[in-house]
Amino acid sequence: MSQSKVLSVVKNLKGRSVLAADTGVRLGFVADVLLHPIRGQVLGIAIRSSDREPLRALSASEFRIGEDAVMAAPGAALLPIKSYPFIEAALAMSEMIGANVVTDTGKIIGRVSDIYVLMDRPMFAYKITESAWQKLTGGGYYVRGDVPRAFSHDGLRLMVPADTRSGRAHEDLADVFSPSGTLTDVHR
């Protein structure tokens, strides 16, 4: 795997400017990230031009995450979020962060405390913490976005296999996408 940068949705993407790559015009800022909660795919971003404006969405194929801004492809279509074509999409910050993580045997093993996105590929990982103290101290563990089996429609539960904590979790974010730890510049 080639080296890749990872960004926290909450700390590094929220509020980042979205610019038109062909004109440099500011289209707005990242308000949220659209994810497929069980396939582990970034489907798009939710954009706002101001706090009073409705959310619009940009498909993952129509933007690149740069060092300091998100660059929209020339002619990219900004759709109203309600007409976004991915019905199965969930909003990372407003729907997924804070959800209980429950095994398919009925045990709560933590909460989603953050989501990390690869800059160069539409993939992500969940950060799961088992307590508020662990969240405050930077503890927790990471699982790839394709580990869960279901996400409840009310956004309260992310269902995972029973062996998630013992066999699918990683203590280091660099190991989530690559056993050799070739992720660089992990922003936490």
Side-chain angles (χ1 to χ4, degrees):
M1 178 172 132
S2 64
Q3 292 190 346
S4 184
K5 293 184 181 183
V6 182
L7 299 174
S8 160
V9 169
V10 175
K11 297 174 189 166
N12 306 116
L13 283 177
K14 182 181 179 183
R16 191 175 279 210
S17 289
V18 179
L19 308 174
D22 55 345
T23 64
V25 170
R26 185 174 189 269
L27 302 173
F29 61 91
V30 176
D32 215 327
V33 178
L34 291 150
L35 305 171
H36 191 292
I38 58 175
R39 288 190 194 145
Q41 297 171 316
V42 175
L43 300 175
I45 55 174
I47 300 169
R48 254 191 230 285
S49 54
S50 75
D51 289 331
R52 295 179 304 278
E53 295 294 320
L55 284 176
R56 296 176 293 158
L58 188 61
S59 168
S61 64
E62 296 186 309
F63 70 86
R64 303 249 335 134
I65 302 171
E67 291 290 328
D68 300 308
V70 174
M71 305 305 293
L78 285 169
L79 302 172
I81 195 84
K82 294 183 192 251
S83 68
Y84 198 71
F86 297 107
I87 303 296
E88 297 172 328
L91 291 165
M93 289 180 280
S94 59
E95 296 177 346
M96 299 189 75
I97 292 177
N100 283 323
V101 181
V102 183
T103 67
D104 54 12
T105 59
K107 179 177 168 107
I108 297 173
I109 59 172
R111 286 183 177 252
V112 176
S113 62
D114 204 346
I115 295 173
Y116 289 85
V117 174
L118 286 174
M119 278 180 65
D120 62 349
R121 284 179 288 149
M123 297 174 67
F124 69 92
Y126 295 102
K127 180 173 185 183
I128 300 170
T129 52
E130 298 162 314
S131 68
W133 175 252
Q134 194 177 50
K135 183 177 178 180
L136 285 172
T137 60
Y141 56 94
Y142 306 90
V143 295
R144 284 173 52 126
D146 60 357
V147 168
R149 294 190 172 150
F151 182 62
S152 65
H153 293 290
D154 59 9
L156 299 177
R157 288 167 299 283
L158 185 67
M159 305 301 293
V160 297
D163 68 346
T164 296
R165 184 67 179 111
S166 62
R168 299 168 192 253
H170 301 273
E171 300 300 318
D172 190 339
L173 185 57
D175 295 333
V176 173
F177 299 105
S178 167
S180 62
T182 57
L183 295 176
T184 63
D185 203 15
V186 174
H187 295 277
R188 295 184 190 179

